[in-house]
Amino acid sequence: MTTPPRAVIFGSGHSALTLATGLLEDSWRVDVFTRHPTPEILGNPAGLTQLTLPSVHATELALGLGLWQHTAPPAHEVRMRMVPPQGEGFGFTAPLPGPAVAIDHRLKSAYWLQHVAERGGRVHERACTSADVSGFASTRLHDLVVVAPGIDSDLRHLFAPDPDRSGGATDRVVVQVHLAVPEDLLPQRVEVLSCPWGEVMVYPVLTVDALSPFQVRSLSAADAPPMHVTPYAAVCVQVMARPGSPLDPAPAVTPVGGGTETGSGLPRRHGVHAQAAWAHVLDRLPALSPELAQQCAQGKVIPGSELVREVHPQVRRPVTTIQGAPVVGIGDATMSVEHASGQGAGASTWVATTLRDQLRQHGRAPFHADFLTGAWEAYWARHGQYTATFGGFVTAYWSGALPDHVLQGFTETVSTPEGAAAWSAGLDDPARMNHLLTL
């Protein structure tokens, strides 16, 4: 009887758990290392919410990861508004090629981890260091070693920077809240406002109230019952401010005397710092869109959903060799995607599913560094390069760096219903809009 191949995955984010689920479906033995156990994830403040566009949503459903298929509030269209500093802007509304959804990061991470365990994956609740990765690589007990941590993880330094490639992203300061609103005010579309100060996105989200410390302790006990929380629909508001612009909340959240941590040692991303950032943004929204400002003021901020964080994009080589063994990095470990492009979830899904497809085609032959590099390049050729090009368009739109014919082509395309629908389809799959960005 043939021994099934084994994989170890360091990380429990979107790309890590998508890959783990796919490999389990292919009869791999999978070990996943997560820094936080599931009850603790649900007791933490909210992380950065990502929009799952139709094609990605369909892929999640096919993998059995659409756990909220019947409860997540869908968005069926996108409305985009371009607001210049002077003169009149323009906008358009177009149908999406299927439903888009957004799931609170805590829900997705916690329940996807649980799903992996139920499928036979081994979940290890332990923070890992570079030494741990090196140790696992040196044992050769696993056929595949994957590093897929968050953008802030020290494990990203295992991979060398790649100066020859761009992910299309720029520095941003992101402010996020989830708003509780009456059901009749819940949006059924994705709202995007773009201006020289940055971008604002508003869309429906399935969120959850953070567990109390007592609940976290109770659910973490050895004899605890199966975890269950009740999510509900809300509105996600995300502001992707350009550093130094009027939307940048830095002056409102920088403490006297500087410093980057609270008294308890936590990064200054939540609590009063995030609340101050949201107040700063709310004061400035009327100058951009009185309608949007009123919409945001009508909702009640859900405690624990407030977030403020700096995003510094990075691009790293996807494969490294440790103790003579190849290690592949996916997700934020090796490529930052422009969050204002709405492609974060797509990039995580496509790199994981492409790697899985390449492994299936390769069979049981050893997975050398050249193969893993080629597998990542297959993702880049089909998805990554187009995501990067679109991200570059978003970040450069107001900078004056784009040729006039590209800007004019965009304006003319979205001025017709057919063109706007084509742009919306390209939002779902950036390869389909590439010709609009490279005229």
Side-chain angles (χ1 to χ4, degrees), residues 5 11 22 30 45 67 74 80 94 113 132 136 149 162 178 209 222 255 264 276 281 296 326 333 350 374-375 405 417:
V30 180
L67 306 181
M80 189 162 189
L113 270 172
D132 294 309
F136 273 88
D162 187 350
H178 292 168
D209 292 324
S264 60
V281 165
C296 291
W350 299 135
H405 69 272

Side-chain angles (χ1 to χ4, degrees), residues 62-427:
L63 281 169
L65 292 173
L67 306 181
W68 303 274
Q69 178 182 2
H70 303 295
T71 54
H76 297 286
E77 61 182 17
V78 58
R79 179 191 181 198
M80 189 162 189
R81 286 175 287 169
M82 315 300 289
V83 182
Q86 287 143 2
E88 292 188 11
F90 67 94
F92 64 93
T93 301
L96 288 164
V101 298
I103 310 297
D104 189 306
H105 181 266
R106 295 168 293 185
L107 275 172
K108 183 170 280 191
S109 294
Y111 279 90
W112 279 11
L113 270 172
Q114 189 169 278
H115 180 76
V116 164
E118 290 170 351
R119 297 286 297 272
R122 298 198 299 176
V123 176
H124 309 272
E125 297 166 355
R126 170 183 156 191
C128 291
T129 65
S130 298
D132 294 309
V133 177
S134 178
F136 273 88
S138 66
T139 65
R140 305 295 199 279
L141 293 176
H142 293 83
D143 300 275
L144 179 68
V145 180
V146 181
V147 175
I151 193 172
D152 301 319
S153 170
D154 289 340
L155 295 183
R156 71 188 189 278
H157 296 300
L158 291 170
F159 303 91
D162 187 350
D164 300 324
R165 201 188 311 257
S166 170
T170 56
D171 287 351
R172 297 279 186 157
V173 184
V174 181
V175 181
Q176 171 187 287
V177 295
H178 292 168
L179 300 176
V181 300
E183 186 176 351
D184 60 336
L185 294 182
L186 192 70
Q188 295 190 12
R189 62 187 178 193
V190 179
E191 296 260 6
V192 183
L193 183 150
S194 180
C195 72
W197 299 352
E199 279 71 40
V200 182
M201 296 179 67
V202 181
Y203 49 84
V205 62
L206 191 72
T207 191
V208 65
D209 292 324
L211 297 181
S212 68
F214 172 77
Q215 290 173 310
V216 171
R217 288 193 299 270
S218 299
L219 287 171
S220 300
D223 59 348
M227 180 183 62
H228 177 72
V229 297
T230 303
Y232 56 94
V235 179
C236 178
V237 182
Q238 290 178 331
V239 179
M240 283 71 71
R242 301 186 188 280
S245 75
L247 276 179
D248 183 357
V253 300
T254 301
V256 176
T260 60
E261 295 184 336
T262 64
S264 60
L266 297 174
R268 294 182 179 275
R269 293 183 177 174
H270 307 286
V272 295
H273 310 285
Q275 292 162 12
W278 174 242
H280 173 90
V281 165
L282 206 55
D283 283 344
R284 282 150 182 79
L285 282 182
L288 300 174
S289 171
E291 175 191 352
L292 178 60
Q294 182 180 9
Q295 181 182 357
C296 291
Q298 285 177 331
K300 180 182 179 182
V301 176
I302 297 170
S305 73
E306 310 98 329
L307 171 69
V308 57
R309 61 169 297 173
E310 295 180 350
V311 175
H312 303 292
Q314 58 189 3
V315 181
R316 298 178 178 274
R317 302 192 187 281
V319 178
T320 188
T321 300
I322 301 175
Q323 298 290 332
V327 176
V328 61
I330 61 174
D332 289 333
T334 51
M335 176 68 72
S336 298
V337 173
E338 174 53 60
H339 189 72
S341 70
Q343 300 299 317
S348 295
T349 294
W350 299 135
V351 72
T353 54
T354 303
L355 177 56
R356 177 201 177 193
D357 289 343
Q358 294 291 307
L359 292 167
R360 296 170 80 179
Q361 294 174 27
H362 193 66
R364 287 300 306 270
F367 305 120
H368 297 303
D370 287 347
F371 162 74
L372 292 175
T373 299
W376 197 92
E377 292 292 346
Y379 153 73
W380 181 258
R382 172 58 184 88
H383 299 287
Q385 62 173 323
Y386 304 115
T387 299
T389 298
F390 179 45
F393 175 86
V394 173
T395 60
Y397 186 87
W398 299 104
S399 69
L402 292 177
D404 288 342
H405 69 272
V406 172
L407 296 173
Q408 183 178 351
F410 166 69
T411 304
E412 292 176 351
T413 296
V414 299
S415 66
T416 67
E418 297 79 13
W423 181 268
S424 176
L427 182 67

